[in-house]
Amino acid sequence: MIKLVGLYVLQAFLILGQGLGLAALLTGLWQGHSLASQLTWLLVFAGCYLLRHGSTELGNSWLDKYARMAAQDFRKQLLKKVFNLGPAIVQREGTGNMVTLALDGISEVENYIHLIYSKVISMMIIPVILLIVCFFLDWISGIVMLLVYPLIVLFMIILGYAAKAKADRQYAAFQVLSNHFIDSLRGIDTLKYLGLSKRYSRSIYRSSERFRKSTMSVIKVAMLSNFALDFFTTLAIAVLAVFLGLRLINGHLLLFPALAILILAPEYFLPIRNFASDYHATLNGKNSFHAVLRIINMDLPKRPQVELHPWTTGDELHLENVEFAYPHGESELRDINLTVSGPQKVGIIGMSGAGKTTLINLLSGFLPPKSGKMTIQGQKVDTLNIKSWQKQILYIPQTPYIFADTLRNNIAFYTPGVSEEQLQEAVHVVGLDQLVAELPAGLDTMIGNGHRPLSGGQAQRITLARAFLDASRKVMIFDEPTAHLDIETELELKKRMLPLMDGRLVFFATHRLHWMKQMDYILVLKDGRLVEQGTYQQLLAEQGYFTELMDQTKGRRGNHE
Ligand SMILES: Nc1ncnc2c1ncn2[C@@H]1O[C@H](COP(=O)(O)OP(=O)(O)O)[C@@H](O)[C@H]1O
Ligand SMILES: [Mg+2]
């Protein structure tokens, strides 16, 4: 910034040198001196001209470098923040929006930084210096120039407001479009199966039309304001020229100051014209800039500074009257009272929508409770968003994420340094041998996004292999890991899963009751309340909601056992 200020001050003097040199040269020639005698002025003019444009280039290259660095820094900060904020932020802001923000958005921020620094600084320095000199040359012209400037600024502000409203609308349309597009790419299976892709593509067409129209209206306003400002400044210069001419003829003014002012006047208006012509480009950048800053400045969820050791016998997790509510909902979870201790298999059962996933997100620390007490390993905490807790969690969701990488790296995801024997053992334990044998390059075949797709069961086996390899993670959290699998695959996987649970603290959420027999302790959820808890036998003896669930399932499709 300081370098730029220095550079623009220098540039103002170069413009002066160029303008005054040219005026002196022309005056000299007019007075009949030979070109040779005016060589000094010619050199002054030519030298200042070259240096001026050279300095513009230099300033641009500084700005390029600075803007690129700043943009890189912003992108880093943004990504870091998104990772720290976790999945909730992406859910709230939309995947498409986050993608465009991190890619296009940052490029626009780069552009913005570039434009705003150069245009604003030059606009604040160059006209001031030129005006002072013009006052010395001819104070009447100086006053005219001084009076016209605020008029132009006023005009620019009015047009700027109009442009800003339109640019905001355009930015909103762009966000809708990017979310819409990514959303439909992800849901393309559903759209195709339901025969809705035509209708959906029409709706994408409509959002892109909206975006096109708002873009065009931004450009219209930008063009119009450019034209108006150019017209205004040209008119101002013309008026100035007429007055100068008249006063020259009447002999009130000498040729040199008149010429000098005439040459300097366009330079005086140039920075504001440049600023105005790039104003609409900066508006987009500004919107992206604010969007990026909004996310970077978001508060990170609280993290208790608590050190936990790997979960082991005798450790207790205790929840008392814990409640949770989603931002726009009433209480989603209430009266959560539970104690788990040591390695233990805890089943979480309930109908769909009962709050199993919510409870699991609470237990893994992704959601903070609204109220209630929590104690873990004897330490009181407000939330389980604890680094040393999350570091020992193995999370196995319904549809695990398979990264675009080799099968080997996907399996060794938590444990990159694992040996070949251990890897083979993991493959065998979870029943992936057949897949490995089928794949063209075995363990080194690329899978995941854009590569060979896997079945749901195969993907689930990979997450189990990850769990098998990382024996140091002592807490396992399952969220309906088999909900989308057929019963044969489920029972086969069950045999592989149960041994992995030994010696660990396990939370196993499901609505499939046959798992409950193998659980040491069962939490029964209904409409966000923990209605019953106990061992399998205790719950059966109670003849409450749990038995009701059992009877319903038996009645509907028979017991899976
Ligand atoms: N991000 C969210 N914002 C608001 N409400 C939610 C959100 N996620 C889930 N819910 C609501 O919370 C309740 C419990 O959902 P969930 O825990 O996913 O149930 P389950 O996993 O048992 O099917 C449901 O009524 C659901 O609509
Ligand atoms: Mg769920």
Side-chain angles (χ1 to χ4, degrees), residues 91 326-327 329 332 350-359 479-480 525:
Q91 252 176 34
Y326 285 107
E332 228 70 62
M351 308 279 269
S352 149
K356 301 183 293 295
T357 302
T358 312
L359 179 59
D479 191 1
E480 312 233 25
L525 285 178

Side-chain angles (χ1 to χ4, degrees), residues 180 184 191 196-208:
H180 211 116
S184 54
L191 293 174
L196 289 175
S197 53
K198 275 254 167 57
R199 195 198 303 168
Y200 215 71
S201 73
R202 274 200 295 277
S203 117
I204 290 188
Y205 176 75
R206 274 197 300 277
S207 12
S208 61

Side-chain angles (χ1 to χ4, degrees), residues 447-489:
I447 54 170
N449 201 359
H451 302 282
R452 190 190 189 286
L454 300 178
S455 76
Q458 287 164 339
Q460 207 54 273
R461 281 174 213 270
I462 289 178
T463 54
L464 292 181
R466 287 175 187 164
F468 174 80
L469 285 174
D470 194 349
S472 72
R473 290 178 186 255
K474 292 296 184 198
V475 182
M476 268 180 135
I477 295 187
F478 292 86
D479 191 1
E480 312 233 25
T482 55
H484 61 309
L485 302 178
D486 50 84
I487 187 66
E488 288 78 13
T489 315

Side-chain angles (χ1 to χ4, degrees), residues 18 101 133 178 287 331 334 387 390 483:
Q18 171 195 326
L101 196 60
V133 175
S178 33
N287 279 331
S331 243
R334 264 163 302 171
K387 202 167 183 182
Q390 287 171 339

Side-chain angles (χ1 to χ4, degrees), residues 131 134 138-146 240 244 247 253 261:
L131 186 66
C134 287
D138 172 38
W139 62 273
I140 297 179
S141 305
I143 287 178
V144 174
M145 285 161 80
L146 182 64
L240 207 61
L244 286 172
R247 285 165 62 218
L253 193 66
I261 286 176

